[in-house]
Amino acid sequence: MNENEEIQPGRILVLCALPYTNAVPHIGNIVGSHLPADIFARYCRLRGKETLFIGGADENGTPTEVATIELHVSPKQLTDALYLIHKKIYNWFWISYDNFSRTSTSTHHKTTQEFFSKIYENGYISEGVLSLPYCEHDKLFLPDRYVEGTCPYCQYSKARGDQCEQCTRLLDPDQLLKPRCKICGNTPIVKESKHLFLELEKLIPQLDEWIRSNKHWRIQVISLALGWIKEGLKRRCITRDLKWGVPVPLEGYKEKVLYVWFDAPIGYLSFTKEWAETNNMPEEWRNYWDLEKGKEAKIYNFIGKDNIPFHTIFWPAMIMAHGGLKLPYNVIGLQYCNYEGDKISKSRSWGIFCEKLPESGVDSDVWRYYLTYLIPETKDSDFKWEDFENRVNSEYVGNIGNFIHRTSTFVWKYLGGELPAVQLNKEESIVKEIFLTKKKIEELLDNVRLRDALTEILSLSDKGNRYFQENKPWELIKGSETDKEKCVHIIYVCTLLSISLSILLEPFIPKTSERILNQLNINFQEKWDSIGHPFSKVKHKINEPHVLFEKLTKEKVEMLKATVTKMTPLEEFLRKEKES
RNA sequence: AGCGGGGUGGGGUAGCCAGGUUAACCCGCAGGGCUCAUAACCCUGAAAUCAGAUGUUCAAAUCAUCUCCCCGCUACCA
């Protein structure tokens, strides 16, 4: 990472990996993209940047189509239900999307088809014929993993067409003994089908140069991308024999749809366009995407490590083949978040599943606070209930919460809820600390170092607690007039520190930050720039302080654990959806 | 199997690319202090042969080689 990089003037487009909506999001999905993207987007807005935060549901592709066959529902019924669940959960987490859309919208279909046509006109599309497994019963071409059979090496009877889970060997579907369709169990036949391909090899030099130029990318991202280039790129099939998806706008291919990995990233563009249209500024998207009009803009992609090749190779290649559009400025490839030492798994029901969180009685900011520590910036992280409880109680409630609470209750009880305007000494070390921390946090967040930034904030509140302790205002208030004046000064500084902390914390715990500022009766226009500066020229009255955060009890944690680690099956969701 | 990343006190992490003070931070633990604050807060302390082995170097958590373990990708899951 380039530590000296700074956010320059110009717009910021924050893009979050589009969740594939074939299930309810789990905690790993939140920590792995939505939360870090949101923290960064909120920070950019707080700094006064014109910021746009875009995401949406990825609804096309084989798994969705297969699920509709298995569940006997239409694709629309399924995706409508899942879209609403996803949206509800992200809203609950206060993920501040400017537009959280979906790939089944007409704007998306139109944008994708135009995008395809442009690439086609530019000569980056070729034709070819593939022989693929086909199920005559389900009338469906089967992707490798939807063909099951016996492994030729270890005789495992449930090997998939792409890999045997028992002996981990990579396979081809035609190697399987006794192959059968995963959906209905019938034996698939092999059938030829015409397909379209993206000519990636034409773009190798351009891609290579671009990847190498991005010195500010994380090591994991740049190494993986260069690894793909080194291996050599070949043309990639971009069409599928499915009904559910974006139809291919080309004669002879109208019965097919574009591959979900072709249409999904175009969602970033189409959802931006949709946002612009909705807000009656139909050309505004160009200020983020257009090579000329959006020259000063920067695009940040937040994605999981499984997505790195798509965002560093295939999607950039599509942009290059299209022309006239901006490439990502930074691809923040995050690692995975495990649960209690093992990877999160929907099928084994291992992890925390988000659908019950809104009813859990634990504030979303409590989750956001702890989950920020779990953002797997450099390596896989691990969720542990014990750590969750400890950190929330000792840091969030005990350190930050306590400092703000002890300060404001002191003002309320001993100073009648009022603070006079005080002459601040900028040389006072604790005041200097505020400015120093602010600067450090700017550097860290400009470089998308989210966890380190939160740690810095914690250390500032730590210093606040120490300052309070060392200066003993509770003794001074009982002393002489001089002592009382000194006391007021100390409490003023602590209040200033509380205000600064809540502003610094806004990207992380936005709801609580707002509550603190309300309690302290603060309403700044330019929040970030006011950090560390005197908050009033006249007497300042605060509102009656209330406890900001409840501590987590053992019972509460046990209750939580019992509810949120269970996953509701899709069938049940669809039933509920129908009933309501 | 190939490619990429990771393995750091009891738990969670930073440091590694640009080798160099007693390996940093948070939680936990032990002892002490304080009483404004939600038994909160403050101080002190114990605890790590930096996955293992070999090498380069005056000097290695950091560079190189090999081994073991975990994760991701390998082009038709997304």
Side-chain angles (χ1 to χ4, degrees):
Chain A
M1 296 289 301
N2 178 357
E3 295 296 335
N4 300 318
E5 180 194 340
E6 249 184 62
I7 288 190
Q8 299 296 320
R11 291 176 168 82
I12 304 285
L13 178 57
V14 180
L15 302 172
C16 176
L18 309 188
Y20 192 71
T21 49
N22 64 341
V24 173
H26 54 67
I27 210 86
N29 302 132
I30 305 293
V31 220
S33 53
H34 304 279
L35 180 62
D38 183 59
I39 293 169
F40 186 69
R42 285 180 182 275
Y43 165 70
C44 292
R45 291 191 199 108
L46 197 54
R47 292 294 306 275
K49 315 286 293 176
E50 272 200 66
T51 307
L52 191 58
F53 180 21
I54 298 286
D58 177 8
E59 303 184 315
N60 298 323
T62 317
T64 298
E65 190 151 328
V66 169
T68 62
I69 296 173
E70 286 172 345
L71 298 167
H72 307 289
V73 290
S74 71
K76 189 170 174 356
Q77 281 174 308
L78 180 68
T79 52
D80 280 357
L82 283 165
Y83 175 72
L84 288 174
I85 294 161
H86 275 251
K87 200 165 178 170
K88 184 178 151 200
I89 290 167
Y90 305 137
N91 282 340
W92 183 76
F93 270 107
W94 281 47
I95 307 295
S96 59
Y97 282 116
D98 291 297
N99 184 20
F100 183 80
S101 188
R102 49 199 297 197
T103 56
S104 52
T105 62
S106 60
T107 307
H108 178 69
H109 278 232
K110 186 169 165 258
T111 307
T112 303
Q113 292 182 333
E114 284 170 3
F115 201 105
F116 168 85
S117 301
K118 187 80 192 292
I119 293 181
Y120 184 79
E121 283 162 25
N122 289 346
Y124 286 96
I125 305 277
S126 63
E127 291 184 289
V129 175
L130 294 176
S131 296
L132 299 163
Y134 179 81
C135 176
E136 291 179 298
H137 174 267
D138 295 319
K139 300 192 171 40
L140 198 68
F141 278 93
L142 301 169
D144 292 355
R145 64 161 43 197
Y146 284 95
V147 182
E148 285 186 345
T150 304
C151 173
Y153 302 100
C154 73
Q155 311 303 317
Y156 178 58
S157 66
K158 284 182 184 167
R160 290 191 324 229
D162 56 344
Q163 185 172 28
C164 172
E165 299 228 303
Q166 186 163 287
C167 68
T168 74
R169 277 191 184 80
L170 298 182
L171 303 171
D172 276 324
D174 56 8
Q175 288 177 279
L176 289 175
L177 312 169
K178 295 185 210 152
R180 56 183 189 274
C181 165
K182 192 195 162 170
I183 307 159
C184 67
N186 291 322
T187 308
I189 59 162
V190 173
K191 200 170 159 180
E192 285 197 340
S193 183
K194 264 197 331 179
H195 280 285
L196 297 171
F197 295 80
L198 177 64
E199 297 284 333
L200 283 172
E201 61 274 37
K202 288 187 183 170
L203 293 159
I204 293 173
Q206 215 178 324
L207 279 167
D208 187 57
E209 194 192 328
W210 174 68
I211 293 164
R212 283 176 201 281
S213 73
N214 289 305
K215 304 265 186 256
H216 52 286
W217 288 10
R218 291 186 188 181
I219 179 87
Q220 290 92 336
V221 176
I222 205 154
S223 310
L224 198 75
L226 287 175
W228 272 75
I229 299 277
K230 205 174 79 189
E231 293 277 298
L233 301 174
K234 38 187 194 195
R235 66 180 198 165
R236 190 177 178 96
C237 183
I238 56 162
T239 48
R240 291 291 183 277
D241 286 292
L242 293 171
K243 292 179 192 73
W244 177 243
V246 180
V248 181
L250 189 67
E251 234 17 87
Y253 291 89
K254 300 222 159 148
E255 298 301 304
K256 299 174 195 288
V257 299
L258 289 162
Y259 175 35
V260 60
W261 258 114
F262 186 85
D263 90 72
I266 298 174
Y268 296 135
L269 176 63
S270 64
F271 301 161
T272 312
K273 283 187 176 174
E274 188 185 57
W275 165 83
E277 282 160 15
T278 310
N279 289 281
N280 291 319
M281 307 178 287
E283 294 304 303
E284 183 66 15
W285 67 272
R286 292 186 196 277
N287 290 326
Y288 294 93
W289 282 101
D290 193 278
L291 220 40
E292 290 305 313
K293 285 198 169 160
K295 206 172 172 193
E296 301 295 322
K298 279 181 178 168
I299 300 176
Y300 289 79
N301 278 95
F302 287 80
I303 58 161
K305 63 178 170 184
D306 54 334
N307 266 333
I308 293 172
F310 292 100
H311 287 81
T312 55
I313 304 283
F314 305 125
W315 170 232
M318 285 165 64
I319 294 173
M320 287 172 180
H322 180 282
L325 294 176
K326 285 182 74 78
L327 290 160
Y329 168 73
N330 201 348
V331 179
I332 296 99
L334 297 155
Q335 307 298 302
Y336 278 6
C337 175
N338 292 326
Y339 173 75
E340 293 286 350
D342 212 345
K343 61 175 163 175
I344 297 174
S345 155
K346 283 176 233 160
S347 54
R348 286 187 294 120
S349 202
W350 184 256
I352 293 175
F353 304 94
C354 301
E355 75 263 22
K356 296 226 177 68
L357 286 179
E359 303 144 35
S360 69
V362 173
D363 196 272
S364 58
D365 276 351
V366 171
W367 285 99
R368 287 180 64 115
Y369 182 84
Y370 181 60
L371 294 183
T372 300
Y373 280 107
L374 293 185
I375 295 172
E377 295 186 49
T378 55
K379 62 176 176 189
D380 293 351
S381 63
D382 201 8
F383 180 100
K384 295 208 165 179
W385 284 105
E386 200 192 337
D387 194 45
F388 173 74
E389 189 189 327
N390 284 339
R391 263 187 201 277
V392 169
N393 286 342
S394 79
E395 293 181 10
Y396 187 68
V397 182
N399 186 329
I400 298 176
N402 177 58
F403 175 70
I404 293 167
H405 191 244
R406 77 199 287 201
T407 300
S408 45
T409 39
F410 199 99
V411 175
W412 192 256
K413 279 193 201 163
Y414 294 86
L415 306 176
E418 280 183 352
L419 279 164
V422 161
Q423 192 64 39
L424 256 194
N425 177 8
K426 284 200 175 174
E427 289 310 304
E428 198 174 341
S429 66
I430 191 81
V431 178
K432 271 184 172 170
E433 279 305 331
I434 298 177
F435 288 104
L436 213 63
T437 303
K438 173 174 174 262
K439 194 158 186 305
K440 269 191 211 162
I441 287 172
E442 285 171 1
E443 271 172 32
L444 289 167
L445 289 182
D446 286 349
N447 288 291
V448 206
R449 305 270 305 232
L450 310 173
R451 278 180 320 176
D452 289 349
L454 186 54
T455 304
E456 266 326 308
I457 300 173
L458 193 75
S459 120
L460 182 62
S461 106
D462 207 54
K463 286 179 184 122
N465 272 319
R466 217 173 305 153
Y467 176 80
F468 205 112
Q469 187 77 13
E470 282 164 6
N471 286 290
K472 300 184 174 43
W474 61 88
E475 280 178 13
L476 294 173
I477 193 71
K478 292 169 194 153
S480 66
E481 279 308 306
T482 330
D483 281 349
K484 278 182 187 162
E485 255 175 54
K486 211 175 153 197
C487 169
V488 167
H489 179 91
I490 286 155
I491 294 301
Y492 186 94
V493 170
C494 286
T495 308
L496 180 73
L497 200 47
S498 299
I499 294 166
S500 304
L501 281 169
S502 72
I503 298 171
L504 293 168
L505 282 167
E506 189 185 296
F508 303 92
I509 46 169
K511 199 201 282 184
T512 307
S513 166
E514 214 176 282
R515 265 168 53 216
I516 299 168
L517 291 180
N518 280 337
Q519 193 162 295
L520 296 172
N521 194 22
I522 294 295
N523 190 9
F524 290 143
Q525 287 301 308
E526 306 282 337
K527 279 188 196 168
W528 194 264
D529 293 333
S530 346
I531 291 173
H533 294 288
F535 49 90
S536 68
K537 293 203 177 79
V538 288
K539 202 186 275 177
H540 184 79
K541 200 161 169 51
I542 68 161
N543 294 315
E544 187 178 356
H546 297 283
V547 165
L548 286 164
F549 333 95
E550 294 289 334
K551 282 192 88 166
L552 288 171
T553 58
K554 282 259 182 285
E555 296 75 48
K556 182 92 214 170
V557 172
E558 283 309 314
M559 223 172 71
L560 249 184
K561 200 169 162 181
T563 48
V564 301
T565 54
K566 292 207 182 69
M567 200 174 62
T568 316
L570 270 184
E571 291 89 333
E572 207 172 299
F573 260 121
L574 293 168
R575 206 180 318 126
K576 272 191 207 158
E577 205 58 41
K578 265 185 203 163
E579 283 163 14
S580 66

